[in-house]
Amino acid sequence: MSDFNQRIVAPSLLAADWSRLGEECHRAIAAGGDWLHLDIMDGHFVDNISFGPNFVKHVRNIVADAYLDTHLMIERPDQYIRDFIEAGSSNITIHIEPEYDVGGTIAKIKESEISAGLALNPVTPLELAEPFLEQIDILLIMTVVPGFGGQKFMKEETMPKVAQAKKIRDNNNLNFHIEVDGGITPETASIAADHGANVLVAGTGTFKAEDMATSIKELRES
Ligand code: DX5
Ligand code: ZN
């Protein structure tokens, strides 16, 4: 059983300088980042296009041992998980909102012996995820509408869900991290952690900070 009281900080490469990708990956890890978060956007499920499996593969070649937390914001995750597994993901998180076989796709991810996450948009009720909570390693509760970095943390819409997820996990001896993603600063990280989140994704709050090591320390200790 993982220790869900220990905070995990996951800098999001969406906010990195991609012209110096190698240096940026090493910088995030040297600054204390625990995981690297990779935001995959397809221009359909979200209104933005970011990068695909080749980018993940480059990152894997740069940092052989890093935990690569791949967040698929795409319309058909079931059709692409193989590519993201082969690219070297340590975890693949899929969204629950599109129409596809969610349970079967989680099972396929787990068959490859990497971890599986399920993500919910701010408006998506937790009840929809309940049938899958036994299968997953990470529940990602989006704290902004996904698609872009640098947005404002949606406290009212999302914190009750974080608290509810923690309650369900603890009451049923389930075993998933609760991750929050979007608008995470030391102030909002502390709110999210108080409600039960232990994995903190931050793009702007890490790569764009004046001093990444200080900002990661603040996120961890906030
Ligand atoms: C939002 C992405 C996030 C994004 C967070 O669509 O899923 O991972 O990089 O960016 P910040 O930390 O800038 O809100
Ligand atoms: Zn993300």
Side-chain angles (χ1 to χ4, degrees):
M1 169 84 79
S2 305
D3 177 4
F4 299 122
N5 290 316
Q6 205 185 323
R7 297 231 195 134
I8 292 169
V9 179
S12 167
L13 286 168
L14 193 64
D17 175 355
W18 300 345
S19 69
R20 300 181 300 110
L21 184 59
E23 282 166 57
E24 290 286 77
C25 292
H26 292 302
R27 181 163 80 97
I29 288 166
D34 301 293
W35 297 356
L36 292 178
H37 184 84
L38 292 118
D39 285 307
I40 314 299
M41 304 177 179
D42 66 351
H44 291 274
F45 179 66
V46 291
D47 295 331
N48 195 6
I49 299 177
S50 58
F51 44 74
N54 273 332
F55 189 96
V56 180
K57 203 186 264 177
H58 286 310
V59 172
R60 174 51 75 215
N61 289 336
I62 295 161
V63 283
D65 300 326
Y67 187 97
L68 302 186
D69 178 28
T70 301
H71 175 196
L72 299 186
M73 287 161 273
I74 66 178
E75 199 59 44
R76 289 301 303 264
D78 52 327
Q79 294 179 348
Y80 291 94
I81 50 164
R82 176 69 23 218
D83 294 340
F84 287 100
I85 291 167
E86 282 167 8
S89 300
S90 311
N91 171 71
I92 296 181
T93 291
I94 56 178
H95 269 263
I96 197 169
E97 293 85 4
E99 290 281 322
Y100 67 104
D101 176 8
V102 174
T105 306
I106 296 172
K108 281 222 177 78
I109 298 171
K110 304 276 314 185
E111 270 166 29
S112 305
E113 291 181 359
I114 65 167
S115 72
L118 187 62
L120 302 180
N121 282 340
V123 297
T124 305
L126 184 62
E127 285 69 27
L128 293 184
E130 279 182 32
F132 309 107
L133 294 179
E134 267 187 32
Q135 268 182 288
I136 58 172
D137 304 286
I138 299 175
L139 179 70
L140 170 54
I141 297 187
M142 290 305 299
T143 40
V144 297
V145 176
F148 298 90
Q151 305 183 76
K152 194 173 167 280
F153 180 76
M154 296 168 68
K155 179 177 169 204
E156 310 303 328
E157 296 86 340
T158 64
M159 288 304 104
K161 261 189 325 197
V162 170
Q164 196 189 343
K166 180 179 161 34
K167 205 165 154 195
I168 294 175
R169 181 187 69 199
D170 296 350
N171 290 345
N172 297 282
N173 280 321
L174 296 173
N175 198 16
F176 53 85
H177 293 281
I178 301 175
E179 180 174 35
V180 284
D181 182 4
I184 299 296
T185 61
E187 198 194 354
T188 60
S190 132
I191 298 170
D194 281 347
H195 286 81
N198 70 301
V199 182
L200 308 167
V201 176
T204 309
T206 55
F207 282 100
K208 302 249 162 76
E210 216 166 282
D211 181 279
M212 200 183 330
T214 306
S215 78
I216 289 178
K217 189 166 183 281
E218 282 171 3
L219 290 172
R220 201 186 301 290
E221 293 170 3
S222 59

